[in-house]
Every structure is written in structure tokens, then in C-alpha cells.
Amino acid sequence: MTEQIPRRQFFNRGLGAGLGVALLPGVGRLTAVTGTAPIIVTSHRNQVSQNGITAGFEILSAGGSALDAVEKATNMIEIDPGDRSVGYGGMPNEAGVVQLDASVMDGRTYNAGAVAAIENIRNPSSVARQVMERTDHVMLVGRGALEFAKSMGFPEENLLTDGAREAWARWREDHSDRDHWGPPEHLRDREGSEEVDPAVVEAVAVHGTVNVLAVDSEGNIAGITSTSGYAKKIPGRVGDSPIIGAGLYVDNAVGAAGAVGRGEDVIKACSSYHIVMRMREGRTPEEACMDALRMIEERYRKVNPDYYPGEHFVALNRGGEVGCASMSGGARMSVMDSDGLRYVDGPGLR
Ligand code: ASP
């Protein structure tokens, strides 16, 4: 008989399931890390994201801004109903409600905006941009973020697709009396892990995030991070994605970085800020991403040697060098510049 899975266990499975699945046939693969500005990159690897950065690159090629390019690319990814990790079609929280987090940062003006736990808005990254450009605040959350979005003309609509609702309903049916939130993942007792129905795990263990970063022809840098966060999260839970310095950081003098993975780890490590500061000291984007992974891993090793988190970082510098790295290996990002669309692979810490 299939045993049921505590909800905490869902949180640690299937990391990267939302990174993008359908690899484009015919797209070149690189391990080199050099591109040329203008350039746009994303942590996603699926067809929609490739279309997104291609559209973003058209803006850059026409002399448009990095900010417009990353917003265009992210919007295309956010409205994809097939992407369970971002925007419309994202997996709901434990109450069956889709709550989205997003942030934007403009390296030219040293300005930033974010929304967290916003409901019923398809393009949270564009609301974040409005927060950045039309207010003196950096972050709006929940009801306030929704009211602000509506006042700015964003339509309110249901974001829960049938597929996401069915997966959530299946998870809810499989609750057991052992189902609990539990202590922080890295302090959890690993004893007693149960066998669970892989189909149930697959159906609900979706999380992921998109990072889109760009340098334009004027040398200005911008970035966006957007996510629906963890499926089955506690209503109101906010991850790293809308936290400037955690899920995203941009500095025109250096470059930009973004994070995918367990937001709780990334928030505590200030990972995107860490990566940009390492690049400032002269590390390549890939080295800086590895350094940020090491910092998380070393700290957890002290309290639980068996625990391995699952972060994935992407970065680019003002010269157009790009890089990525992942805790568990298989790091890959999509890149578009005048040399065309391609993947760049990165190292894993393990
Ligand atoms: N970073 C996201 C969050 O913690 C989730 C993910 O990327 O998997 O909300």
C-alpha cells in the first residue's frame, strides 16, 4: 500500500521540476561563458522561455533598454499556463490559492521593486516594475499589492488552471495524520522517511522560479525574478524571489545574479548579493555562483552533514560573461546574444 507523504517532504522533492523541460532540438550547447553585450539570459530552458529571451533580445537589438527586455521575456513566461512554477498556471498554496512573488532591479538607477504573495495578477513582475517606478517603496505584499495592481490597471483574474487545481486536490486527498509542517528542513530527522506513491510526488512537487537578466547596448543592466513559490506553501509564505539581495541583485558597475531553489536557504545567505559582490572582486559569474553555493553548503554541514539543499544560481557581468552553477549538478541556462540562442552549462557542487 502506498504510504502518504508528510507535506514537508513534498517541499524537498523534484527541485528544478519547474526549470523548464523541453530542450530545444538544434539549439547549440556551450560550456564557454563568454557572450557579448547586448545579451539576455534566463535560468529557464524550455521553449516558452527561449521565445521570451528571443523577444527580449529583439528589444535589445533595436537599442531598447535592459529593463524593457527582461520585462518582455518574463511576461511571456509568466502567462504560460504549462509552467507550474511561475505566474498563471503556477501551483497553489495549501489553501488552493496561487500566490506569486516577483522582483525587478534596475542597475542604471539603483532602483528596485517587488511584490510578494500577490493573488489574481498574471504578470507580477510588471506590478513590481510599477512599484519600482511609480512609488517610493520597494515591496508591496498581499492585499496591498493586489489593490495597487488594480489601481494601476492590471486586470484581476483567476490564476488557478485545471491542471494545477487537480494536482493540488490530489495532494489534499492524500493528507494523513502524520502530515505536518515540521521543523526547518535542514534540522529535520531523516529517519522514518516513507515510501510514497511517485505519481503523487510528481503531481505536486513542483517548484521553480525564473530569473531573467540582461545587459543592453548602453551597458545598463537589469534583472527580474518571478515565481509562484512552493506548491502547498503556507498561505502568506514569501520566498527569496521578491527579496532584493536574495532572489535577485543587480549593480550596473558589476553585473546581475538570480536564484532558483529553496528560498529559505537563499534568504539566509543573501545569495544574489553575495554573487554580485564576488564578481565585483573579480570572480567570473560561474565562480561567483559556485562560491555562493559553497557558503550555503558549509553552514548547513555544521548542523546537519546529511542535508544538501538544492539551489541553482545564474549570473552575468557587465562585459557579457555569463555563468551558472547548481548544488546538485546539471546547471544550465539559456543565453541569447548576437551569436544566437544557446545553452550554457555550469558546474555542480556535488
Ligand atoms: N525560490 C523559490 C521560492 O523559494 C522556489 C524555487 O525556485 O523553487 O519561493
Side-chain angles (χ1 to χ4, degrees), residues 15 101 207-209 227 229-230 237 239-241 259-264:
L15 180 69
D101 296 339
H207 50 102
T209 295
T227 190
Y230 279 113
R237 178 264 186 187
D240 59 312
S241 304
V260 175
R262 203 171 85 101
E264 285 69 12

Side-chain angles (χ1 to χ4, degrees), residues 14-37:
L15 180 69
L19 283 176
V21 283
L23 300 183
L24 279 179
V27 175
R29 294 173 186 205
L30 285 189
T31 50
V33 290
T34 307
T36 34

Side-chain angles (χ1 to χ4, degrees), residues 152-213:
M152 289 294 175
F154 288 85
E156 196 177 354
E157 53 196 314
N158 181 18
L159 303 180
L160 190 63
T161 56
D162 284 347
R165 186 183 46 72
E166 278 159 23
W168 169 78
R170 178 136 193 233
W171 163 76
R172 195 179 52 171
E173 283 165 20
D174 279 317
H175 273 195
S176 77
D177 57 6
R178 286 176 299 134
D179 205 355
H180 59 94
W181 292 315
E185 184 68 40
H186 69 286
L187 298 178
R188 203 158 60 87
D189 181 5
R190 303 238 136 201
E191 297 283 312
S193 291
E194 306 87 0
E195 284 298 312
V196 292
D197 180 351
V200 173
V201 173
E202 185 61 32
V204 297
V206 176
H207 50 102
T209 295
V210 68
N211 315 122
V212 183
L213 313 172

